[in-house]
Amino acid sequence: MNESLEKEEINKIETKEDALEIIDQDGWELIKEEKEKIESFNSKVLNIETEQQERIGNLNKTIGLSEDKLDEIKQDFSLKEKLENIKEKAKNLSGELKEKLKIVTAVGTMLIALSSGVEVSAWEAGKGEPRTILELQTSSAISKERSRENIERKEKDRYDSLIYRLNKQALTDKKESSVIIYEENGEMIIKETVGNKAYVFFEVDEIEKGIKGTKDVQIIHTHPLEACHSAQIFSICSGENIEKVRNGEIEPNPMPPSMTDIISAINLSREFGDKIKNKVVDTTGIWEFSIDKDNDFIKRMSEYQKEMINIADNFSEKKLNEDERKILQDTMEKTGTADINYLIVELKKDQKTSALGDKMMDFLDKRIDKFVKIIPREEIEDFISINSLGLDIISFNEDNKDKKGLIDKYIKINKKRGINVSYKPLGKKKEN
Amino acid sequence: MDYKNYLSKKSHEEMEKIYREYSGRLNELKKEQEDVFKDFVAQIEKIKLEEIKNRILNSK
């Protein structure tokens, strides 16, 4: 993507979808800057070394002493050791700088992504977002007198044909779909929601009904091939790639659960427990992922996310006066969202409400400090790696061809941080 | 400015701050290197002067 287009993208945050589209771009800008700064610093360090060589060369030519005599003086003066020591210090500075910038990038990228993690969480779904619901409730014609085996076989057939259809849709659809499967009064209920290109909401009411049943609640959503194009700023997938896949000229790539999917799963696990089973269907297969609530990272992330979700309410109760609370409530009603980022955008648009937007930013700033304090650096780095590996798996670039190796790495690093992921190519028996 | 841009801006500022700090420390090292060369040249000049002095004394 060229620079002017990038700027245009950054400046056009007018809708929630726009905000979602640029999440990765902000993170990408940080990664680019980190790289540029390290390169620039390394070149300065190299200059020190070059300067040493040049000056020693000049000394040899201009000092007017024999080479042996000069060497003797150099040795007595410990010139070599002194210069080596400076070189070493410069290299250490370069290493330290690299580490520090890496942390800023990791934390920045993470926070940018997390600030949207709230908006795609299940909670918001219950707050009046417009959406289309396709209800595919099991026909009541299924006789309760039929044997349990017969019902289970039919349920399995329905499930299999659903997954088959979603797999086909992932190739052709331009929007994500989500499906919730649960049991109610002995019947399998399937509820389907059509979302947008790069996100879809889950129906909280349906999840609540589902957890009252005896079986697990399956939350499935698609990763359509089309969505990989929204990550075009990374130059990993182009419109041309999509066309070639659709024409059968090249193989599609797996599209694993995103950082947002994982954050959503952490939230679902905290609120609804172990009965939630998360699945992603892409053009190549099916990903299953569940959350280990006892993992330290999951505990910390869950706590942090809970706080992020409650920020609007807490903020409203403790930090706002009556007038400000009313403005906030009106904005929430007008926009149909409780997402902080989106609310700030809305508030800042209007001169009358922009002061409240600033106040909310200040308040959120304190949350950043808390995030950095509660999530250790190595955990942040691993979580960022999950995101990068996910993009490498999606990527059509030549240097990311070893999909199996990348998937293994992705599964391993997720496992370390309490996210149990498996991937099964559809139509094949082998499971990763 | 929306919150994401705000986070992004804050991160860029933090990077710039760190980069400036380390560039400053690198400049100090360059000064240290300059001093080493100055001292070395001074040492050579001192030795050369000693030699000249010795030659004069020896010639007398």
Side-chain angles (χ1 to χ4, degrees):
Chain A
M1 184 181 274
N2 64 43
E3 266 188 31
S4 61
L5 194 52
E6 282 182 20
K7 279 199 183 103
E8 193 185 312
E9 287 291 319
I10 288 170
N11 291 332
K12 68 155 199 187
I13 312 160
E14 287 170 357
T15 68
K16 188 170 185 175
E17 192 179 357
D18 290 336
L20 277 170
E21 293 274 343
I22 63 128
I23 296 164
D24 291 337
Q25 182 149 347
D26 281 332
W28 182 240
E29 290 294 333
L30 289 181
I31 295 164
K32 272 204 309 196
E33 185 170 343
E34 179 199 339
K35 195 167 168 273
E36 282 165 12
K37 284 201 161 15
I38 289 169
E39 278 172 6
S40 156
F41 196 83
N42 283 346
S43 129
K44 287 182 185 174
V45 170
L46 201 66
N47 277 347
I48 287 193
E49 204 172 331
T50 315
E51 195 184 319
Q52 283 186 5
Q53 287 164 355
E54 281 174 4
R55 294 192 68 162
I56 289 173
N58 286 340
L59 277 176
N60 291 348
K61 284 180 207 161
T62 59
I63 213 73
L65 287 174
S66 72
E67 206 171 306
D68 289 347
K69 184 68 188 168
L70 190 58
D71 284 345
E72 191 191 315
I73 303 170
K74 278 181 191 170
Q75 212 165 342
D76 289 345
F77 188 77
S78 306
L79 181 67
K80 196 180 166 194
E81 289 77 9
K82 283 176 183 170
L83 294 179
E84 279 297 326
N85 185 32
I86 289 169
K87 244 166 44 180
E88 197 59 32
K89 280 186 192 167
K91 278 182 187 166
N92 288 343
L93 278 184
S94 174
E96 273 179 40
L97 173 75
K98 200 172 167 184
E99 284 301 303
K100 288 202 171 182
L101 292 180
K102 200 173 160 189
I103 294 171
V104 177
T105 307
V107 173
T109 316
M110 171 71 94
L111 286 171
I112 288 163
L114 286 185
S115 71
S116 68
V118 181
E119 64 196 319
V120 282
S121 75
W123 280 261
E124 230 187 303
K127 290 178 179 161
E129 282 289 327
R131 66 193 64 125
T132 313
I133 302 173
L134 182 64
E135 195 169 320
L136 299 169
Q137 196 162 347
T138 308
S139 163
S140 58
I142 297 177
S143 167
K144 286 179 183 170
E145 289 169 9
R146 284 181 186 167
S147 69
R148 188 69 228 156
E149 288 78 17
N150 196 20
I151 292 172
E152 280 176 2
R153 186 177 53 75
K154 279 187 177 297
E155 284 180 353
K156 189 180 178 307
D157 287 349
R158 286 183 70 210
Y159 173 80
D160 287 347
S161 60
L162 171 75
I163 297 297
Y164 177 79
R165 177 168 62 79
L166 291 176
N167 174 243
K168 298 293 161 210
Q169 279 178 217
L171 184 68
T172 53
D173 277 9
K174 294 197 186 304
K175 291 177 176 178
E176 288 193 8
S177 295
S178 85
V179 179
I180 298 175
I181 305 176
Y182 61 93
E183 178 261 325
E184 191 178 50
N185 301 324
E187 288 184 11
M188 183 166 89
I189 309 293
I190 298 177
K191 294 268 181 179
E192 190 164 344
T193 305
V194 179
N196 222 308
K197 188 164 79 175
Y199 67 91
V200 64
F201 294 106
F202 305 125
E203 294 293 327
V204 177
D205 292 349
E206 300 305 323
I207 298 173
E208 281 173 346
K209 280 186 208 166
I211 55 166
K212 289 176 191 157
T214 54
K215 289 187 176 174
D216 289 338
V217 179
Q218 297 193 55
I219 299 179
I220 308 169
H221 74 281
T222 56
H223 275 179
L225 179 65
E226 190 78 23
C228 83
H229 202 220
S230 64
Q232 61 184 294
I233 49 143
F234 292 100
S235 308
I236 58 167
C237 170
S238 65
E240 193 188 353
N241 293 138
I242 294 175
E243 277 314 300
K244 281 185 175 174
V245 171
R246 285 185 180 146
N247 296 336
E249 292 169 49
I250 55 172
E251 287 293 313
N253 291 326
M255 296 172 74
S258 66
M259 189 185 268
T260 321
D261 293 337
I262 291 167
I263 290 167
S264 179
I266 292 172
N267 290 334
L268 290 167
S269 160
R270 183 187 59 248
E271 298 298 320
F272 297 113
D274 299 334
K275 282 177 83 174
I276 303 291
K277 303 293 170 203
N278 307 280
K279 294 178 182 178
V280 166
V281 178
D282 63 29
T283 51
T284 67
I286 183 162
W287 299 83
E288 295 191 24
F289 55 112
S290 60
I291 303 299
D292 172 8
K293 284 198 288 188
D294 296 327
N295 181 283
D296 287 341
F297 169 68
I298 296 296
K299 283 183 197 164
R300 284 188 270 267
M301 278 295 284
S302 182
E303 195 52 40
Y304 178 77
Q305 278 298 304
K306 192 176 176 183
E307 189 161 351
M308 286 293 282
I309 287 161
N310 290 328
I311 274 174
D313 292 340
N314 291 338
F315 185 75
S316 172
E317 282 166 23
K318 295 173 188 167
K319 303 279 176 186
L320 302 183
N321 61 38
E322 207 170 316
D323 288 344
E324 288 172 325
R325 210 171 291 145
K326 185 160 184 339
I327 294 171
L328 188 60
Q329 280 167 356
D330 288 348
T331 314
M332 283 165 80
E333 275 174 31
K334 191 177 86 182
T335 57
T337 178
D339 171 64
I340 309 302
N341 182 51
Y342 194 60
L343 287 172
I344 290 174
V345 174
E346 281 300 308
L347 291 167
K348 298 278 282 176
K349 274 182 189 171
D350 189 338
Q351 212 177 353
K352 288 179 202 160
T353 58
S354 68
L356 178 57
D358 289 337
K359 198 170 177 180
M360 288 175 76
M361 273 196 188
D362 290 343
F363 182 72
L364 282 166
D365 204 17
K366 294 189 179 89
R367 303 269 81 78
I368 297 175
D369 294 340
K370 179 159 187 174
F371 176 80
V372 177
K373 275 180 197 153
I374 63 172
I375 311 278
R377 182 185 135 189
E378 58 272 22
E379 291 183 1
I380 293 173
E381 286 179 0
D382 278 354
F383 204 50
I384 296 293
S385 295
I386 290 170
N387 198 40
S388 324
L389 279 166
L391 290 169
D392 288 345
I393 293 168
I394 295 169
S395 171
F396 283 90
N397 292 344
E398 282 297 306
D399 50 353
N400 288 313
K401 268 190 162 177
D402 176 20
K403 297 300 175 194
K404 171 136 189 4
L406 289 168
I407 290 171
D408 287 346
K409 266 192 204 169
Y410 174 88
I411 289 172
K412 199 174 163 189
I413 198 161
N414 267 292
K415 173 94 183 159
K416 185 177 157 197
R417 295 301 173 200
I419 307 133
N420 300 312
V421 184
S422 69
Y423 168 67
K424 189 167 72 175
L426 285 172
K428 292 177 188 174
K429 282 180 184 174
K430 196 182 168 192
E431 191 166 332
N432 271 290
Chain B
M1 186 193 292
D2 75 296
Y3 186 53
K4 273 190 212 77
N5 275 353
Y6 166 73
L7 287 173
S8 174
K9 187 170 172 271
K10 201 175 153 69
S11 302
H12 284 290
E13 283 170 359
E14 183 65 20
M15 270 196 199
E16 194 54 45
K17 197 176 119 196
I18 294 170
Y19 185 77
R20 274 204 304 270
E21 182 202 328
Y22 276 79
S23 294
R25 287 168 68 180
L26 196 64
N27 282 340
E28 281 170 23
L29 277 181
K30 283 178 94 171
K31 274 187 205 155
E32 194 180 323
Q33 178 162 290
E34 190 62 39
D35 290 344
V36 167
F37 278 112
K38 270 186 195 165
D39 289 349
F40 182 65
V41 172
Q43 178 75 1
I44 289 173
E45 293 303 328
K46 197 175 151 193
I47 289 168
K48 279 164 81 177
L49 272 174
E50 274 302 311
E51 278 188 354
I52 294 165
K53 204 167 106 185
N54 285 339
R55 272 212 300 273
I56 295 168
L57 287 173
N58 289 338
S59 65
K60 282 186 179 174

